[in-house]
C-alpha cells in the first residue's frame, strides 16, 4: 500500500553535513578540554608557551573553517584550506609568544596570544574563507 518515502540525495547530504558538524564540535570540545586539563596540571604543552598558544588558538578558530566549509566546499578543497588555515593560525600564535614571551606587568611567561592577534586572526580567517569559498 503505502511505500516508505525514499531518501533523496539532498536529504542524505544534509544529514552527512549535520553529523560532520557534530563530530567537529565534539573534537573541538575534546581538544579544548585536554588543553584546559594540561593548563590546570601545569603539564606539557603548557611548559612550551609558543606550542600551547598555537594549539589553543588553533583549537578555538580552526574548527570554524571546517564548519563553514562543510557542505559548501569540495572535500579536497576543504582539507587543503583547513590545513592551510590551521597552519596560519598556529604560526601566528606561536610567533606572538616568541616575539614577546613575558607579560608586561608581571614578567611571567605568557601562554596565550594578545587580544590583537586573536582579533586579527579571526578577521583574516573570515575574509580568506569568503574569498576561497566562491572560487
Amino acid at each position: 500500500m503505502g511505500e516508505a518515502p525514499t531518501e533523496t540525495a539532498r536529504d542524505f547530504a544534509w544529514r552527512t553535513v549535520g553529523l560532520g558538524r557534530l563530530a567537529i564540535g565534539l573534537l573541538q570540545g575534546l581538544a579544548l578540554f585536554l588543553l584546559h586539563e594540561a593548563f590546570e596540571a601545569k603539564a606539557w604543552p603548557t611548559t612550551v608557551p609558543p606550542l600551547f598558544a598555537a594549539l589553543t588558538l588553533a583549537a578555538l578558530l580552526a574548527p570554524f573553517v571546517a564548519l563553514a566549509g562543510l557542505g559548501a566546499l569540495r572535500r579536497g578543497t576543504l582539507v587543503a584550506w583547513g590545513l592551510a588555515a590551521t597552519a596560519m593560525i598556529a604560526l601566528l600564535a606561536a610567533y606572538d609568544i616568541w616575539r614577546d614571551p613575558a607579560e608586561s606587568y608581571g614578567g611571567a611567561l605568557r601562554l596565550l596570544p594578545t587580544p590583537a592577534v586573536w582579533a586579527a586572526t579571526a578577521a583574516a580567517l573570515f575574509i580568506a574563507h569568503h574569498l576561497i569559498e566562491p572560487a
Side-chain angles (χ1 to χ4, degrees), residues 63-127:
F64 291 111
V65 171
L67 290 171
L70 204 63
L73 296 173
R74 291 178 310 203
R75 184 174 293 145
T77 305
L78 179 58
V79 169
W81 165 229
L83 291 173
T86 303
M88 180 194 73
I89 294 166
L91 289 172
L92 285 172
Y95 175 74
D96 183 52
I97 299 297
W98 176 77
R99 125 190 116 69
D100 186 18
E103 294 277 351
S104 57
Y105 56 88
L109 292 179
R110 290 188 310 130
L111 291 176
L112 296 175
T114 61
V117 171
W118 288 83
T121 304
L125 278 177
F126 179 80
I127 293 167

Side-chain angles (χ1 to χ4, degrees), residues 19-98:
L19 290 174
R21 287 183 175 156
L22 285 173
I24 290 167
L26 179 65
L27 291 174
Q28 180 185 25
L30 179 63
L32 292 173
F33 171 76
L34 293 173
L35 286 169
H36 180 265
E37 289 297 310
F39 176 77
E40 291 292 321
K42 296 188 181 359
W44 184 89
T46 57
T47 57
V48 185
L51 176 63
F52 184 76
L55 290 174
T56 302
L57 198 61
L60 281 170
L61 295 180
F64 291 111
V65 171
L67 290 171
L70 204 63
L73 296 173
R74 291 178 310 203
R75 184 174 293 145
T77 305
L78 179 58
V79 169
W81 165 229
L83 291 173
T86 303
M88 180 194 73
I89 294 166
L91 289 172
L92 285 172
Y95 175 74
D96 183 52
I97 299 297
W98 176 77

